[in-house]
Amino acid sequence: MTSAIVQQTRGVKRIEFAPGTPETVYERADWPREKLLEFFKNDTFAVIGYGSQGYGQGLNLRDNGLNVIVGVRKDGASWKAAIEDGWVPGKTLFDVNEAIEKGTYVMNLLSDAAQSETWPAIKPLLTKEKTLYFSHGFSPVFKDLTHVDIPKDIDVILVAPKGSGRTVRSLFKEGRGINSSFAVIQDVSGKAEEKAVALGVAIGSGYLYQTTAEREVYSDLYGERGCLMGALQGMFLAQYEILRENGHSPSEAFNETVEEATQSLYPLVGANGMDYMYAACSTTARRGAIDWSSRFKDTLKPVFADLYDSVKTGKETKRSLEYNSQPNYRELYEKELEEINNQEIWQVGKEVRKLRPENQD
């Protein structure tokens, strides 16, 4: 299906991605660097937290010539990482409270659990001339659980890159841009939407589509647990284990499950769509894939319905907050990740990747 552009002005398009459902899309072309510098000439961006998104968005803002500072716990791991990336203590690197006081835009890019834990200290610093920014709707949407109740007298905006902060950074350095959604959570000034779009471009977005904080967090939590990560790991493991149980060698099982998918077929889907990928395969493969796809959909759709309900009702949020607030959560995560790393499928993968031509000495 080809999308139809039904209305267009410079940098703003109304596109029917699906018939009868026009959406507004904003493009980077309408916000060249000179316009960004003029729009934000009196602003200071306080990036709070220097994890994945803080790193990517902060460096992109800095490279775009904007006035950016970073706020993290002094002398912690993030403080040291920020110094390695060229942030200077006392000039562009401060503790959290001082950074918030200096910023006109407060970009809360702490982890979801940390946003909840630090909110009582952060909220009093959000004076009415500031704009509060999130990259995830988690904290404000599930405020009954996070207790992140935003002040009523400030603009609150959201820009959510559709990828990790590392990808936000790498695509920017390549001269490309990541796709992002944006939302206006609270508009006091009457300019919150323009602020969100401009800042979305400034952090490295190629184009932005409009959403709400609720839809952003529902789709994000749902996607991560589904096709993007959770279902992917489960699917790979199930197929690999059946092959191994039926006598296939580790290398064959891995190649038929992961290597061919990630190195050959998935890139075709990403570039041109599922129909293109089918057309690029043999008629035998095409016939079987089409036949079995409906069975997988019928089997999995109830699971995805349960997952969406778990996200929307806040069950997933409650689980995340409880787990991530434990004092030993990092140790617990590392144990789980080590268990995944030690699964035969991913141990085989390490050896298979060494054999790729680009990895040969």
Side-chain angles (χ1 to χ4, degrees):
M1 179 186 69
T2 302
S3 63
I5 300 176
V6 296
Q7 179 183 346
Q8 180 175 356
T9 59
R10 176 168 167 74
V12 182
K13 292 180 179 179
R14 292 284 286 172
I15 300 178
E16 287 194 352
F17 290 100
T21 312
E23 300 181 46
T24 300
V25 170
Y26 295 80
E27 295 184 295
R28 180 173 57 188
D30 197 44
W31 285 93
R33 190 168 183 267
E34 296 74 18
K35 185 176 179 180
L36 289 174
L37 291 173
E38 175 63 24
F39 187 80
F40 292 124
K41 64 183 178 182
N42 297 318
D43 290 305
T44 297
F45 296 92
V47 174
I48 308 305
Y50 203 66
S52 176
Q53 289 296 337
Y55 155 85
Q57 296 188 34
L59 290 176
N60 289 358
L61 286 168
R62 189 174 74 181
D63 285 355
N64 269 328
L66 299 174
N67 187 22
V68 192
I69 60 176
V70 171
V72 293
R73 182 171 57 86
K74 190 172 183 179
D75 296 327
S78 294
W79 180 275
K80 295 173 184 176
I83 290 175
E84 290 177 1
D85 288 335
W87 304 97
V88 181
K91 293 184 178 180
T92 56
L93 179 61
F94 304 90
D95 66 29
V96 171
N97 286 10
E98 189 172 1
I100 293 174
E101 290 172 352
K102 290 179 178 294
T104 55
Y105 282 76
V106 178
M107 302 175 67
N108 195 337
L109 298 176
L110 295 165
S111 69
D112 295 324
Q115 287 187 20
S116 178
E117 292 166 4
T118 59
W119 187 248
I122 288 177
K123 184 180 177 182
L125 302 175
L126 298 173
T127 49
K128 63 181 181 180
E129 73 277 6
K130 298 183 187 296
T131 296
L132 178 60
Y133 168 100
F134 294 100
S135 276
H136 194 15
F138 188 99
S139 292
V141 169
F142 294 111
K143 61 184 178 181
D144 290 345
L145 294 169
T146 64
H147 308 296
V148 176
D149 54 329
I150 59 177
K152 301 298 183 184
D153 57 352
I154 63 173
D155 286 348
V156 184
I157 59 177
L158 176 149
V159 178
K162 299 298 105 180
S164 73
R166 299 287 163 178
T167 309
V168 172
R169 181 61 177 161
S170 64
L171 291 179
F172 178 86
K173 290 172 69 176
E174 292 170 13
R176 301 162 64 193
I178 196 163
N179 304 333
S180 301
S181 62
F182 79 94
V184 173
I185 299 175
Q186 186 168 276
D187 186 2
V188 173
S189 69
K191 298 179 180 179
E193 182 170 315
E194 189 176 26
K195 289 179 178 180
V197 175
L199 187 45
V201 172
I203 66 164
S205 303
Y207 81 83
L208 300 106
Y209 61 91
Q210 195 160 14
T211 186
T212 66
E214 290 79 9
R215 291 203 301 266
E216 187 281 326
V217 71
Y218 294 165
S219 61
D220 188 78
L221 295 180
Y222 174 74
E224 290 167 348
R225 286 151 178 76
C227 290
L228 300 179
M229 295 174 67
L232 194 63
Q233 159 72 359
M235 178 187 71
F236 280 157
L237 198 56
Q239 176 165 308
Y240 180 89
E241 289 180 352
I242 290 295
L243 285 169
R244 293 288 286 122
E245 289 164 11
N246 280 275
H248 295 266
S249 69
S251 61
E252 183 172 55
F254 185 85
N255 272 282
E256 291 294 340
T257 299
V258 179
E259 192 74 351
E260 186 173 355
T262 59
Q263 299 302 297
S264 176
L265 300 184
Y266 290 176
L268 295 179
V269 178
N272 297 291
M274 186 66 74
D275 57 336
Y276 182 93
M277 189 271 283
Y278 279 171
C281 296
S282 70
T283 56
T284 300
R286 196 180 311 156
R287 180 70 270 140
I290 292 172
D291 289 346
W292 276 85
S293 65
S294 59
R295 182 170 174 184
F296 278 111
K297 192 267 286 185
D298 293 343
T299 301
L300 291 173
K301 191 171 181 179
V303 178
F304 278 95
D306 288 345
L307 170 57
Y308 193 85
D309 184 65
S310 185
V311 167
K312 189 173 183 179
T313 59
K315 184 177 179 180
E316 293 300 307
T317 296
K318 186 172 184 292
R319 160 71 171 156
S320 294
L321 288 172
E322 289 177 349
Y323 189 93
N324 297 336
S325 296
Q326 296 176 96
N328 62 337
Y329 84 96
R330 290 187 184 276
E331 179 184 339
L332 296 173
Y333 266 134
E334 288 171 2
K335 182 178 179 181
E336 289 179 307
L337 293 178
E338 185 63 20
E339 289 174 355
I340 293 173
N341 179 57
N342 288 332
Q343 289 170 349
E344 184 183 273
I345 183 174
W346 302 118
Q347 289 296 311
V348 173
K350 290 179 182 179
E351 299 306 312
V352 170
R353 286 192 291 275
K354 292 177 184 177
L355 298 175
R356 293 176 186 168
E358 65 270 23
N359 294 332
Q360 297 296 307
D361 294 331

